[in-house]
Amino acid sequence: IFTLNRNQNVFNLYLANARSAVCRSVLKEENDYYIDSELISSTRFFDDQFVYLSEKSGFSHIYLYSNNGVLQKQLTSGNYDVTDLLAVDPFTKTVFYQAAEESPIQRAIYKVDMVKGIKTKLSANQGTNIAIFSNNGKYYINGYSNIKTPRLTTIHDATGKQLRVLEDNANLKKTLTGLNLPTKEFIT
């Protein structure tokens, strides 16, 4: 059970026993300003643990908790935001996520080993990568684009190996190249 107060600055997570209706608090987070409800909704439960996205360090990062509310490990850290928690594979103890580690205007797909803490970048292309994982975390569909590339949709395995191209939008890319459009530039 998730609760977020009206000011959206106090979040509580409760585990409930369906038979006895007894609830116990396992996580409470407070922020002077705001707790992003989108981060809360990405919480994933598995076995006797859960992973949770929090901005308590100043950046959004992934934290691993036991079901009794004890923080076991911070899985990601640094001066960047984890922008989405995509999947958890409880068998390989792997968490898959999207982050803006390289640039605030780029998104890449990563995985982190919950036991060893080893992070691996899965997406090879610079730009925006958006992944949808299978229920078991073994495969994902990656949607990639950047300022010069229309959406490229591919299937990958959990190691990041590209297995198949679903849509490359080659005709659109050719049409756009022929239009001689002005060059776009992002600034930060």
Side-chain angles (χ1 to χ4, degrees), residues 1-70:
I1 300 171
F2 299 159
T3 64
L4 188 62
N5 70 337
R6 188 173 193 85
N7 291 332
Q8 291 188 293
N9 64 351
V10 179
F11 165 68
N12 287 287
L13 187 152
Y14 300 93
L15 292 182
N17 183 318
R19 291 189 179 149
S20 67
V22 173
C23 297
R24 62 181 169 91
S25 175
V26 293
L27 179 66
K28 180 175 185 174
E29 183 169 343
E30 295 184 47
N31 186 299
D32 290 339
Y33 305 104
Y34 174 76
I35 294 175
D36 188 345
S37 62
E38 291 297 316
L39 298 180
I40 294 167
S41 65
S42 66
T43 303
R44 301 280 197 282
F45 295 89
F46 57 96
D47 300 332
D48 60 347
Q49 299 172 306
F50 64 94
V51 288
Y52 169 67
L53 273 176
S54 173
E55 293 177 324
K56 62 184 171 185
S57 70
F59 294 91
S60 64
H61 285 290
I62 304 170
Y63 297 84
L64 176 66
Y65 283 88
S66 67
N67 276 352
N68 62 10
V70 175

Side-chain angles (χ1 to χ4, degrees), residues 42 90-91 101 109-110 113 144 152 155 157 159 161 172:
S42 66
F91 300 108
E101 184 172 355
I109 308 302
Y110 297 87
D113 183 294
Y144 159 75
L152 171 65
I155 296 178
D157 66 13
T159 67
K161 179 183 175 189
L172 176 59

